[in-house]
Amino acid sequence: MTNDKQPRYVLGIDYGTDSCRAVVTDAQNGKEVATATALYPRWAKGLYCNPAKNQFRQHPRDYVESLESVMEQVFEKTGDTVLPYVQGIAIDTTGSTPCLMTEKLEPLALLPEFENEPDAMFILWKDHTSTQEAAQINELAHSWKIDYTMYEGGVYSSEWFWAKILHVAKTNPRVIKAAFSAIEHSDWMPALLTGLVGRPALDSLKRSRCAMGHKAMWHESFGGYPSDEFFGALEGGNKNLVRIKNTLGTKTYTSDTEFGKLTEEWAQRLHLKAGLPVAVGAYDAHMGAVGGGVAKGVLVKVMGTSTCDIIVGPRPEVARGEKERLVRGICGQVDGSVVPGMIGYEAGQSAFGDTYAWFKTLLMWPFAAMTADGSKFLDTTRFNLTADELAALSAGVDAQLMPALERAATAIDPQESGVLALDWLNGRRTPDANQELKGAIMGLTLGTNAPMVYRALIEATAYGARAIVERFEQEGIRIERVRGIGGVARKSPLVMQIVADVLGRPIEIVASDQSVALGAAMFAAVVAGIYDSIPQAQSAMAPAIEKVVSPNAPQVAVYDKLYKEYLKFGAFIEKESV
């Protein structure tokens, strides 16, 4: 690390499900210097999405416009006091979020003929339109001479790269024929900022080890990706996947590697200096785990719309005859995907905060109906309110609903409620991915009220978290400490207490609203040469632990019994869903 007294800032760009965040961080101590957030304009309007069909697509222009917006906000807040001293940039995104593109690295949706074609856009991580294709990949892989899912938990998911590309290949010949290659959102952003987009530059593209290892079946022992024969058989003799696979190269890169330099054009658009090093991209949960202090024995739960549970472990010592231990039913294990030099393990839940948001939307339906098109659903004239007054009433209820539910749910005795739920409202990510599963609730009576159901949904997400912890430990991954980062971890004491009670473990809450962007900033500090390694950057920049949520012993005993009921309920629903 240098001892230069000049301010040394780094920039972390975090692309979440709904918005882009920019966080400028002091590389000396990890403190936030400036931050800004911008929603994706088209996504906020619900464009190109169909929740009933599990279709969630994002337009590349949303990513560009939101990036420019957050950097403009930072510039307006700080003027010339901060951005001229930024030394490096790193970007994280959701994933797997791939997009089909041209030879010039242009997403097809940027071409006039595909401007409004959802299949030409980025297919968001939670898009589950490819469940059949995922099942097809699993069936073939498990009977192939090499099981290409072995490093991905043994179960390929519809949330991942090849299932999504295969779905487009099967259902939209026009789009797949126009595609030269495919790219993850986490790779496209560095490519854009370093000037690769708009010219044939595939040979210069450094694909993310994190993205391609966990979601695209890349592994060094395979020589890259699955064989041409495998993809040919998968597509019934067609060659679209083979053609795309052969544009990916065979190498991947860890995010402590420089992707390239910020161009003059993008420097001006973002109020930065040209020539800044831009790191190889990665997924938000992986960089977030770094920002949250992931280490051997430390499981970091990134708790937002979904969860990602990340832990790292040492590489096997090949010279001593050690082999890598395969962990069943998780979202992959990849050398260097989280902390370079260590194996990164990922698990998670497809819906966490989204589960609570669903319930809120359900309860808010009458207000949404009144303010959207009241004459269609309700006789709004009976309320004797103007449209503006209705909108104000709806906004007030919306703001107060979740806090009121949380207060009421806190007072409920879980032994007396009798309501039991499954957390599979968006399928099950881990253990053992199955995106065709659905959520369920049992134990309802005429006395069941909204707080009881809300608490049961929280308990269900906590049971899902416990299933992940148990799977890790059953497979030999020791967990000594659990940390929570993200919006849910800091904003919902009830959720965190129930999770601690269900796990029977204390949970450390990290004192940062921007742990994901902070993790990206740590990678930026390494590619800028401020630190030599990620562990060194973590040591200097890590946020404090603001509190520890300890399990309540009597409740631990209660939840031990209820968790067994959850497992029985889940087994029944899964069996009947086949």
Side-chain angles (χ1 to χ4, degrees):
M1 175 181 169
T2 66
N3 291 315
D4 193 342
K5 292 183 179 181
Q6 187 181 51
R8 298 180 71 83
Y9 301 139
V10 284
L11 175 62
I13 302 293
D14 170 29
Y15 280 96
T17 298
D18 301 317
S19 61
C20 175
R21 304 168 191 83
V23 179
V24 181
T25 302
D26 188 331
Q28 305 291 335
N29 52 31
K31 291 183 178 179
E32 291 179 17
V33 176
T35 183
T37 301
L39 296 174
Y40 306 137
R42 295 159 189 81
W43 173 262
K45 297 177 182 178
L47 299 182
Y48 315 117
C49 297
N50 186 340
K53 294 183 178 180
N54 288 313
Q55 175 183 301
F56 298 96
R57 310 297 169 87
Q58 292 183 330
H59 201 288
R61 295 192 193 282
D62 270 0
Y63 301 149
V64 175
E65 292 168 13
S66 60
L67 175 61
E68 291 181 308
S69 175
V70 292
M71 293 307 297
E72 191 64 36
Q73 292 177 54
V74 171
F75 178 71
E76 290 175 358
K77 291 177 181 178
T78 64
D80 293 329
T81 62
V82 171
L83 294 181
Y85 300 101
V86 168
Q87 304 295 307
I89 305 169
I91 301 170
D92 68 75
T93 74
T94 66
S96 176
T97 303
C99 185
L100 293 164
M101 66 176 182
T102 70
E103 187 176 6
K104 295 183 179 181
L105 279 63
E106 301 160 313
L108 293 183
L110 293 181
L111 304 181
E113 60 268 36
F114 293 115
E115 174 72 21
N116 294 305
E117 170 55 66
D119 287 338
M121 300 175 189
F122 284 90
I123 305 175
L124 191 64
W125 63 270
K126 69 178 183 178
D127 185 295
H128 291 165
T129 53
S130 58
T131 53
Q132 292 182 1
E133 288 76 16
Q136 186 181 345
I137 291 171
N138 285 313
E139 182 178 1
L140 183 63
H142 297 165
S143 63
W144 202 255
K145 55 188 175 182
I146 299 174
D147 185 351
Y148 289 114
T149 70
M150 70 171 74
Y151 294 104
E152 311 214 38
V155 184
Y156 203 77
S157 169
S158 65
E159 294 185 350
W160 300 348
F161 188 90
W162 289 115
K164 293 176 176 180
I165 303 302
L166 178 59
H167 179 71
V168 176
K170 289 170 62 177
T171 61
N172 200 330
R174 177 170 170 261
V175 170
I176 199 68
K177 288 178 181 178
F180 184 83
S181 186
I183 193 166
E184 281 281 348
H185 183 199
S186 57
D187 291 334
W188 189 65
M189 296 312 305
L192 182 68
L193 298 189
T194 59
L196 299 191
V197 177
R199 60 189 182 90
L202 273 174
D203 290 345
S204 301
L205 183 63
K206 294 179 180 177
R207 294 191 185 259
S208 164
R209 173 78 54 86
C210 165
M212 307 316 283
H214 281 274
K215 314 299 183 186
M217 295 188 284
W218 177 93
H219 197 270
E220 191 173 18
S221 67
F222 302 155
Y225 302 90
S227 66
D228 289 1
E229 292 76 17
F230 177 83
F231 281 123
L234 190 61
E235 208 180 349
N238 291 327
K239 299 295 183 180
N240 293 302
L241 265 63
V242 172
R243 173 171 56 83
I244 288 172
K245 170 246 180 176
N246 287 330
T247 67
L248 303 183
T250 59
K251 293 183 178 179
T252 59
Y253 298 84
T254 55
S255 294
D256 59 344
T257 305
E258 181 181 302
F259 186 101
K261 303 290 188 184
L262 185 68
T263 66
E264 183 67 43
E265 175 192 354
W266 276 102
Q268 292 182 11
R269 292 170 74 168
L270 303 181
H271 303 285
L272 296 167
K273 295 185 300 184
L276 293 180
V278 179
V280 169
Y283 289 153
D284 49 359
H286 294 241
M287 284 190 170
V290 168
V294 73
K296 181 183 176 182
V298 179
L299 177 70
V300 175
K301 293 182 64 64
V302 186
M303 307 171 80
T305 55
S306 66
T307 74
C308 280
D309 295 29
I310 308 291
I311 195 167
V312 297
R315 291 168 168 167
E317 294 187 30
V318 179
R320 296 175 56 182
E322 294 182 0
K323 293 183 179 180
E324 186 173 341
R325 187 185 190 118
L326 298 178
V327 179
R328 296 177 300 113
I330 64 169
C331 301
Q333 53 193 85
V334 180
D335 185 0
S337 63
V338 182
V339 175
M342 303 189 79
I343 304 292
Y345 301 88
E346 177 192 344
Q349 295 163 267
S350 293
F352 198 81
D354 268 354
T355 300
Y356 319 142
W358 164 80
F359 190 57
K360 175 183 178 182
T361 300
L362 190 72
L363 296 181
M364 285 294 296
W365 181 86
F367 294 94
M370 283 190 297
T371 55
D373 188 359
S375 61
K376 183 177 180 181
F377 298 104
L378 299 167
D379 181 7
T380 55
T381 59
R382 297 181 63 187
F383 295 96
N384 197 30
L385 296 172
T386 66
D388 287 344
E389 289 170 335
L390 280 171
L393 174 63
S394 176
V397 173
D398 185 82
Q400 297 180 47
L401 179 59
M402 296 310 285
L405 273 176
E406 183 143 333
R407 288 192 299 271
T410 300
I412 293 171
D413 184 341
Q415 297 182 92
E416 296 179 359
S417 166
V419 183
L420 183 64
L422 294 177
D423 56 314
W424 302 337
L425 274 73
N426 199 23
R428 184 180 64 211
R429 180 180 293 163
T430 52
D432 305 316
N434 185 343
Q435 251 54 67
E436 293 186 343
L437 293 175
K438 303 291 189 293
I441 303 175
M442 65 173 288
L444 301 176
T445 73
L446 293 176
T448 302
N449 58 29
M452 289 178 181
V453 176
Y454 179 56
R455 183 172 182 120
L457 291 171
I458 295 174
E459 290 167 347
T461 56
Y463 298 145
R466 177 165 169 173
I468 290 169
V469 169
E470 289 188 348
R471 176 58 62 88
F472 270 132
E473 296 197 321
Q474 289 164 1
E475 297 292 311
I477 305 300
R478 185 176 178 184
I479 297 173
E480 299 171 358
R481 291 152 64 194
V482 179
R483 286 187 176 176
I485 68 171
V488 175
R490 298 195 78 197
K491 296 175 183 177
S492 179
L494 176 61
V495 171
M496 299 315 298
Q497 186 62 59
I498 290 176
V499 173
D501 291 344
V502 170
L503 294 182
R505 300 167 184 256
I507 302 176
E508 301 171 345
I509 308 299
V510 176
S512 175
D513 285 329
Q514 302 292 352
S515 294
V516 175
L518 174 60
M522 292 176 184
F523 282 97
V526 172
V527 297
I530 299 172
Y531 298 103
D532 295 330
S533 68
I534 287 300
Q536 192 181 84
Q538 284 180 299
S539 178
M541 299 173 68
I545 301 300
E546 67 180 6
K547 64 179 177 181
V548 177
V549 181
S550 297
N552 183 323
Q555 294 289 64
V556 170
V558 170
Y559 282 126
D560 279 344
K561 296 178 181 178
L562 292 175
Y563 176 65
K564 294 175 183 177
E565 295 300 313
Y566 164 87
L567 294 178
K568 287 169 58 179
F569 184 31
F572 170 79
I573 292 295
E574 186 164 8
K575 179 182 177 182
E576 295 301 314
S577 298
V578 175

